[in-house]
Amino acid sequence: MKKCILSRLHWCLIIVALSLAACHGRGKAAVKPPQPKEKDIVEQPEALHIRIPKNMQAALEFILASNGVLNDSMYFAKDSLVYEIYQKRNFEPIWSSREKWLPLSDSLLNFIGHAKEYGLFPPDYHYNIIINIRAKTTEDTLAQKDAALWSRGELLLTDAFFRICSDLHRGRLPYDSVTLRKDTLTRTAYLSLFDTLQQTGRVDTLMHALEPKHLGYDSLKFGLQEMLRSVDTLKRYTYIPYPANNSMEYTNNLKQRLFEEGLLESPFDYMDTTSLKLVIGKYQRQKGLTETGKLNASTVSSLNNTNWEKFKRIAITLDRYKLLPDSMPTTYIWVNIPGYKMCIVDSGTVVMESNVIVGQPKTRTPLLTSNVSNFITYPQWTVPYSIIFNEMLPKIKQNPDYLRKQNLMVVDKNDSVMNPDSVNWKRYSKHYFPFLIKQRQGDDNSLGVLKFNFANKYAVYLHDTNARWLFSKENRALSHGCVRIKDFMKLADFLVRNDTLRYPPDTLRNWIDRREKHVVSGFPRVPIFIRYFTCEVKNGSIRFYNDVYGEDRLLSQRYFDSKTL
């Protein structure tokens, strides 16, 4: 027994020793390459072709060890790809030869300089730095001898190429639950793109092949180009959130924005409430707004409706197209939440369009992709528990007659209709509620007379409504999440258009006139896409929609607000 214990102790000590050795090995940091030379002046021109590759190799080894960082102003987003490209070529220059920049580098730099026409930001691709390097190596005789400067220009151009390929193809927004486009730019694909560019020399052709193939994307991109031609500069302005608050930071941002508008001599001077009201009132007069001297929604909207904000919204929308599949179905239903519109696209043509009502900001219509499988005439609405607990139950407890006024019935677990006056409502809450609440069929049913079903985890659908007057409102973010469609009969007719034997003309209307419930199915399922696009081209010009859920503002803050053009 004692021998056994000693044996176990012996093995425990060995395991501990091995563990300590392993930990010591992991903790030992690799030697980081030295900082590359800022300058490497080569007096003999013929020696440059030897020193440039050495500088590039040293710089790349340092960049890889520094997670893409060369110095305070240079970050390489595609550092490993850049390294592989030059390693395969023995670190020989690609964009320059014999102390001259090659025409291919001119083409790439020209494309980057026009990147804003694609909703991109040229500084993301080292544009200003490369321009400065090229100017020095072209005009400054001492800089022409600087092997370190030539090597940085080389590496920056290659990193810019890979990054702009990525941003044109997959965009800058993170992939989400409704992303349908696969990122086909694998490491091998990136390297192949670079080889293709070297062979063809056509930057614009290669870049265009990477873009989404959607008519909406193309028209918005061309609309952006028209917009850029019509403005002198895209000046950055301070964004003012709304509703306003009384914080010092908010007031300072407002003063900064009014200074940018030319209404204040300095954004740093003290202003009391009266003085600030006078300046706001002056702005409202200039813009033709109701003069109140107070910040309201229309005034803040005017302050924020700058070309800079429009550019960022277009950039976000162009990137949203990059989340769609490379090719859309032949026929599909498209619902755009901010546009309050639904349309049917068939063989690339919009064959039907309708106004819709979407979810309120607190009960948003979800983004989703599905297929319309059937529709029901004279449907019955089973009220979701979220609506029961948040809205209905407090009113029922106050007065059970609320159920009768709303044409609602209470059903127990056996699907038997309960007398609401016989129920002790005070006993029930969201923790215990053994009933369903349903709305009786009819014209006053919240679903109206038609409901279109498609599988989704949110229990939402397209449907008619008993409050059709709401379609005339400008702001139609009014529902609990479902999409109410104004021209519901046109959608129903389209779905059964090829089945005239089962559904002769006027069959659906006769069922509705007779208030009959029917489930209509058997037609080819039609894909439905519910998306969030706050701008699109209509009648040749860009139309901007209200950022009803604040999604654009959130993405702009996260990815674009700190950028410059």
Side-chain angles (χ1 to χ4, degrees):
M1 182 69 178
K2 185 175 180 181
K3 184 178 180 180
C4 181
I5 293 172
L6 289 172
S7 177
R8 288 178 184 173
L9 181 60
H10 173 75
W11 281 109
C12 286
L13 290 172
I14 291 175
I15 291 171
V16 169
L18 290 172
S19 299
L20 289 172
C23 290
H24 179 71
R26 283 197 301 269
K28 189 175 181 179
V31 177
K32 187 174 181 178
Q35 179 84 32
K37 296 178 181 178
E38 182 65 27
K39 288 185 178 182
D40 184 17
I41 304 300
V42 180
E43 293 297 340
Q44 302 300 323
E46 61 271 14
L48 265 177
H49 76 278
I50 297 174
R51 297 276 279 275
I52 289 175
K54 289 183 177 180
N55 274 273
M56 282 200 290
Q57 183 174 3
L60 281 170
E61 288 172 354
F62 180 84
I63 290 166
L64 285 175
S66 305
N67 297 317
V69 176
L70 178 60
N71 54 42
D72 291 342
S73 61
M74 297 182 197
Y75 168 72
F76 288 73
K78 304 294 182 182
D79 53 352
S80 62
L81 283 169
V82 176
Y83 184 86
E84 186 165 347
I85 285 292
Y86 285 101
Q87 185 186 43
K88 287 181 177 180
R89 292 163 171 78
N90 295 317
F91 300 97
E92 291 294 329
I94 295 169
W95 305 99
S96 61
S97 177
R98 298 183 181 275
E99 296 76 65
K100 288 185 179 180
W101 295 103
L102 297 174
L104 189 58
S105 71
D106 298 333
S107 298
L108 178 59
L109 197 56
N110 181 63
F111 188 89
I112 295 171
H114 290 84
K116 56 181 176 291
E117 296 177 6
Y118 298 80
L120 306 177
F121 298 81
D124 285 350
Y125 315 105
H126 316 297
Y127 182 68
N128 296 329
I129 302 174
I130 295 172
I131 287 288
N132 185 44
I133 290 175
R134 284 174 62 96
K136 287 182 177 179
T137 52
T138 303
E139 302 166 6
D140 187 332
T141 54
L142 184 62
Q144 290 171 0
K145 303 176 183 179
D146 189 349
L149 192 62
W150 282 99
S151 70
R152 285 199 295 275
E154 275 279 337
L155 302 180
L156 289 168
L157 277 165
T158 305
D159 185 69
F161 170 79
F162 285 130
R163 185 167 181 182
I164 205 165
C165 285
S166 175
D167 289 351
L168 276 175
H169 180 71
R170 75 171 304 282
R172 296 145 296 183
L173 306 182
Y175 281 7
D176 55 26
S177 60
V178 295
T179 298
L180 297 172
R181 195 181 199 209
K182 296 180 180 178
D183 187 2
T184 55
L185 282 187
T186 60
R187 188 176 190 82
T188 302
Y190 274 115
L191 298 173
S192 178
L193 283 172
F194 197 86
D195 291 339
T196 300
L197 178 66
Q198 300 299 308
Q199 295 164 10
T200 64
R202 296 297 305 271
V203 174
D204 53 349
T205 301
L206 185 146
M207 295 300 177
H208 181 63
L210 293 170
E211 295 181 273
K213 305 300 184 289
H214 295 286
L215 291 176
Y217 173 90
D218 288 336
S219 61
L220 185 58
K221 183 180 69 174
F222 293 137
L224 170 61
Q225 292 170 4
E226 285 291 327
M227 184 187 109
L228 291 172
R229 281 191 285 269
S230 67
V231 300
D232 294 331
T233 58
L234 282 178
K235 181 181 175 182
R236 288 182 61 181
Y237 288 91
T238 303
Y239 186 87
I240 304 299
Y242 189 80
N245 60 56
N246 296 321
S247 69
M248 182 64 70
E249 180 184 8
Y250 190 93
T251 302
N252 289 338
N253 285 338
L254 176 59
K255 287 163 60 180
Q256 176 66 34
R257 180 66 187 89
L258 294 171
F259 168 73
E260 294 163 354
E261 201 67 26
L263 295 172
L264 294 179
E265 292 185 2
S266 169
F268 307 112
D269 293 343
Y270 170 77
M271 292 185 72
D272 58 25
T273 304
T274 303
S275 300
L276 196 56
K277 285 184 66 174
L278 289 173
V279 176
I280 293 172
K282 183 178 180 180
Y283 174 82
Q284 291 168 331
R285 276 199 313 278
Q286 290 179 351
K287 299 299 181 180
L289 303 171
T290 302
E291 187 176 349
T292 63
K294 297 179 181 180
L295 280 182
N296 49 36
S298 59
T299 303
V300 173
S301 176
S302 176
L303 285 167
N304 289 333
N305 191 32
T306 63
N307 288 325
W308 171 244
E309 290 300 324
K310 288 178 181 177
F311 176 82
K312 290 187 292 181
R313 293 180 68 184
I314 293 170
I316 289 168
T317 302
L318 288 172
D319 269 14
R320 285 196 170 111
Y321 277 105
K322 297 167 189 174
L323 303 179
L324 293 172
D326 286 323
S327 60
M328 297 292 282
T330 302
T331 304
Y332 61 92
I333 298 167
W334 178 268
V335 177
N336 184 17
I337 294 171
Y340 305 135
K341 288 286 185 180
M342 183 221 78
C343 66
I344 301 173
V345 179
D346 191 24
S347 300
T349 302
V350 176
V351 297
M352 179 245 170
E353 192 172 69
S354 174
N355 287 344
V356 298
I357 293 168
V358 299
Q360 306 169 58
K362 64 180 181 180
T363 54
R364 299 181 178 190
T365 295
L367 305 184
L368 59 83
T369 306
S370 188
N371 295 278
V372 174
S373 56
N374 63 66
F375 61 89
I376 302 172
T377 61
Y378 269 82
Q380 185 180 69
W381 182 39
T382 300
V383 183
Y385 283 117
S386 59
I387 298 177
I388 293 174
F389 299 142
N390 294 330
E391 298 181 27
M392 290 185 173
L393 191 55
K395 296 176 182 177
I396 296 170
K397 288 180 177 181
Q398 188 175 9
N399 184 3
D401 199 44
Y402 166 84
L403 292 162
R404 181 186 59 78
K405 292 178 179 178
Q406 299 297 320
N407 195 27
L408 298 167
M409 56 184 176
V410 183
V411 179
D412 66 12
K413 62 181 179 180
N414 298 316
D415 205 31
S416 298
V417 177
M418 307 282 294
N419 179 357
D421 294 324
S422 66
V423 177
N424 183 5
W425 292 105
K426 293 181 180 179
R427 292 181 53 199
Y428 303 108
S429 68
K430 64 180 180 181
H431 304 294
Y432 178 62
F433 194 84
F435 309 115
L436 292 175
I437 294 180
K438 298 182 179 183
Q439 194 168 46
R440 293 180 175 85
Q441 299 160 218
D443 290 337
D444 57 350
N445 186 294
S446 294
L447 302 181
V449 298
L450 261 180
K451 181 183 79 162
F452 302 85
N453 291 317
F454 44 91
N456 66 91
K457 63 182 180 181
Y458 308 100
V460 299
Y461 24 80
L462 302 178
H463 64 84
D464 174 30
T465 178
N466 61 349
R468 298 187 180 102
W469 60 272
L470 292 174
F471 287 110
S472 63
K473 294 178 72 69
E474 183 178 351
N475 174 16
R476 295 197 294 277
L478 304 166
S479 80
H480 288 95
C482 288
V483 178
R484 306 175 191 174
I485 174 171
K486 182 179 181 181
D487 297 315
F488 57 91
M489 282 306 304
K490 291 182 180 179
L491 175 57
D493 289 339
F494 180 85
L495 293 174
V496 298
R497 68 195 183 284
N498 296 323
D499 197 351
T500 55
L501 288 178
R502 286 198 302 159
Y503 307 107
D506 295 332
T507 297
L508 301 179
R509 287 163 181 78
N510 291 334
W511 286 346
I512 291 172
D513 289 342
R514 295 196 297 264
R515 302 191 174 192
E516 295 178 5
K517 181 176 181 178
H518 293 270
V519 177
V520 179
S521 60
F523 52 81
R525 296 189 173 201
V526 178
I528 178 170
F529 300 84
I530 300 181
R531 293 296 190 271
Y532 194 94
F533 285 56
T534 62
C535 54
E536 64 178 335
V537 171
K538 286 282 189 179
N539 301 320
S541 61
I542 301 177
R543 181 179 297 179
F544 292 88
Y545 302 122
N546 182 30
D547 185 15
V548 61
Y549 297 159
E551 290 293 319
D552 276 13
R553 178 89 291 263
L554 185 65
L555 291 171
S556 182
Q557 286 177 318
R558 189 172 296 169
Y559 300 108
F560 297 147
D561 276 6
S562 62
K563 294 185 182 295
T564 57
L565 284 172

